[in-house]
Structures are given as structure tokens and as C-alpha cells.
Amino acid sequence: MNLTSYSPGLHKLVTLQVNEMKKLTDSKRFVAVTESILEKFNLEKVGLVVHDFENDSFTIAVCLKESHICIHTWPEYNQLTLDVYLCNYLQDNSVKVKAVTQEYIDYFSATIIKDFEINR
């Protein structure tokens, strides 16, 4: 393996505008949607942490064998931030990162406010 040309993966960070408040406060539904996405893209969950705040916003971190998916919601601003990173030393998961991110954008029927891609 040539380590000087190795790139562990794509890290996608988005801020989304969401008009449907319930989706920004329903952490259980987000976890269920995530389970479906993980199955669809053959990703392996190794851990999950959910924290619901007093205003019904939530923070969730899904640790994956391939890295992680994190979300933070702000219903008071109709926004969320989403962080998707999939690394793999055997294959390039960049297309999968973009597809997983798009699945969440579709679920939230969201408008993209900020969209960053970091090749790590």
C-alpha cells in the first residue's frame, strides 16, 4: 500500500433548514431512519448515543465500524447539522457518503444552508 497517496475518506458536513418541526424533535424516528440507512448501505453500527434536550432538540452520535454519523437539531431555528464520515482502507466510500447524506436530506425534506466536503 502506498501510504503517501492514501486518503482515508470523505467527511461531509451539512447545515439544513427543515420546515417540519416534528422531525427536528423526534429522536426515536431519526434512529429508526438511521437503522434503515445503515442496512441499505451495508454499514455496521458499533455504538449509539442519544441525548434529548429539554426543548425536545436532540444530539445523536452513531459510531460505525467505518467511522460515524452525528446530528444536532435546533428546532427553535428550524435547523440541524449533520456530519457523515466513512473511512475505509480497502475502498473509496466517497460516493456512499454523498448518498447517505442525501438520504437524510430527503428524509428531512430539507434545504441545504451549508455544505462542506473534506477529503481526509
Side-chain angles (χ1 to χ4, degrees):
M1 178 187 314
N2 181 355
L3 295 179
T4 59
S5 65
Y6 172 66
S7 175
L10 180 66
H11 195 163
K12 194 147 175 70
L13 304 143
V14 294
T15 301
L16 304 176
Q17 184 77 28
V18 178
N19 291 325
E20 194 174 336
M21 179 74 69
K22 179 67 176 158
K23 290 183 178 177
L24 293 171
T25 59
D26 189 350
S27 62
K28 288 181 176 69
R29 180 69 185 132
F30 179 83
V31 170
V33 166
T34 297
E35 294 288 350
S36 171
I37 290 170
L38 297 180
E39 185 175 326
K40 179 177 181 177
F41 290 97
N42 197 30
L43 298 169
E44 187 176 338
K45 179 178 69 175
V46 296
L48 173 74
V49 177
V50 177
H51 182 80
D52 292 301
F53 293 94
E54 292 141 7
N55 69 345
D56 292 327
S57 63
F58 59 86
T59 292
I60 298 175
V62 183
C63 296
L64 306 172
K65 185 172 123 180
E66 303 81 5
S67 198
H68 67 269
I69 298 170
C70 297
I71 184 170
H72 312 282
T73 68
W74 285 275
E76 64 273 26
Y77 300 110
N78 291 83
Q79 292 184 13
L80 65 85
T81 58
L82 179 69
D83 176 346
V84 179
Y85 180 46
L86 302 177
C87 56
N88 190 315
Y89 70 94
L90 297 175
Q91 68 187 23
D92 180 1
N93 279 332
S94 298
V95 171
K96 194 180 284 192
V97 169
K98 292 175 185 181
V100 166
T101 303
Q102 189 60 54
E103 290 278 333
Y104 286 114
I105 293 168
D106 293 345
Y107 164 69
F108 284 104
S109 301
T111 303
I112 298 169
I113 298 172
K114 295 179 184 175
D115 186 352
F116 300 101
E117 291 184 357
I118 303 164
N119 289 300
R120 299 185 71 186

